[in-house]
Amino acid sequence: MSIIRDNLVVMDDLFWFDSGIGRPLVLLHGGFLDHRMWDRQFPSLTAKYRVIAPDARGHGRSANATGPFRPVDDVAGLLRRLDIGPAVLVGVSMGAGTAVDTALEYPELVSGVVVSGAGTSEPYFSDPWTTRTTAAWYAAMAAGDLDACVEAFTQFAAGPHRSLDEVDPEVADHLRDMTRGTLSKHSSGEPSPILPVRDPWERVAAIEVPVLAINGGIDSPDHIGMAERLVRTVGNGRAASVDGTAHYPNLERPDEFNEILEGFLEAV
């Protein structure tokens, strides 16, 4: 059963934004967020493309998983359900990993990949600020302290070179609202149902479509480094930067992010 209202679609247990006409463009949100993280991209992109922005399973208004699953299979299933593709996939953080996974597992469905704040679905962290912030977030989750968990996770919006008070309050509150909504769907200690894709870093050199990394200029070295490693490894990759932004450049400086993204889309 599907319900369509104001460009929002609910079908079975998944929810997505669907608007515009033209070449398909899929926007994949970061972890613990939802499709609304792309609100500042929708107006310009839907004027030129058919934009699909799902809430990942267990996030936003999509249902929680009832068993083990792979996010990449949900993306591929959605594209096939809608009978569209190949599509350009744009992802931030967790969504970037899913975009790369889709190019690996379902190359026939992908015409280009844009990542921000990640390289594959297999992240690694060594920077002191990143490991410290991640540890605080995990500790709050383990304690079941929703407020502390939301605040710790939102620190990624600031990055290692700013305090959260220096981030646009509207952006920070938008992130908090999405994070709280998703975390409220889950319980402390709940095991992750997500199944990994096999050896993504060992396989990314086989990606043949163009790949662009749009990094926040003051994001953590780990996040920037993973994205830059990806574009160095694929056959057709390049990186751009949005100065003065951290993990969510599309929210902090949408005009600059959109200009870089649309330049890539016109060239693909």
Side-chain angles (χ1 to χ4, degrees), residues 14-266:
L14 293 178
F15 174 94
W16 68 91
F17 171 94
D18 188 343
S19 183
I21 58 174
R23 292 166 49 207
L25 178 63
V26 179
L27 306 181
L28 302 171
H29 63 77
F32 298 100
L33 305 178
D34 60 53
H35 75 281
R36 293 176 295 157
M37 77 163 293
W38 300 108
D39 282 351
R40 295 183 174 188
Q41 280 64 59
F42 290 146
S44 63
L45 292 178
T46 55
K48 301 177 182 179
Y49 305 96
R50 180 176 179 185
V51 177
I52 313 296
D55 283 355
R57 193 176 299 273
H59 293 67
R61 293 169 63 177
S62 286
N64 289 352
T66 57
F69 78 104
R70 300 194 311 172
V72 63
D73 298 328
D74 281 346
V75 172
L78 179 58
L79 288 171
R80 288 176 171 161
R81 175 185 287 177
L82 298 175
D83 194 26
I84 58 174
V88 175
L89 309 184
V90 183
V92 169
S93 198
M94 180 190 78
T98 302
V100 172
D101 283 352
T102 309
L104 292 172
E105 298 287 282
Y106 300 98
E108 73 281 3
L109 296 178
V110 180
S111 58
V113 174
V114 180
V115 302
S116 184
T120 74
S121 59
E122 191 176 73
Y124 49 86
F125 303 108
S126 60
D127 174 71
W129 179 88
T130 313
T131 55
R132 186 170 61 249
T133 303
T134 302
W137 163 39
Y138 284 170
M141 284 199 296
D145 187 336
L146 179 59
D147 290 339
C149 191
V150 169
E151 203 61 21
F153 186 77
T154 308
Q155 293 295 326
F156 287 108
H161 306 292
R162 299 181 296 182
S163 71
L164 199 49
D165 290 340
E166 296 174 90
V167 176
D168 180 344
E170 185 177 340
V171 170
D173 286 345
H174 188 43
L175 289 164
R176 289 185 180 103
D177 179 61
M178 289 185 285
T179 302
R180 182 175 297 277
T182 288
L183 286 173
S184 297
K185 294 161 62 75
H186 302 278
S187 59
S188 176
E190 177 183 317
S192 172
I194 297 176
L195 298 174
V197 164
R198 176 182 58 85
D199 301 327
W201 280 115
E202 286 72 20
R203 299 166 59 199
V204 291
I207 294 177
E208 298 180 349
V209 298
V211 178
L212 171 66
I214 308 179
N215 294 316
I218 54 173
D219 201 357
S220 79
D222 287 330
H223 290 117
I224 294 173
M226 288 184 286
E228 291 185 341
R229 176 184 172 186
L230 171 68
V231 298
R232 288 195 308 267
T233 304
V234 299
N236 183 4
R238 67 180 180 89
S241 183
V242 180
D243 293 340
T245 70
H247 204 49
Y248 305 105
N250 67 303
L251 285 170
E252 290 203 77
R253 294 198 177 172
D255 291 343
E256 293 180 39
F257 183 93
N258 295 351
E259 183 178 2
I260 296 169
L261 174 59
E262 291 185 45
F264 174 83
L265 295 173
E266 290 170 3

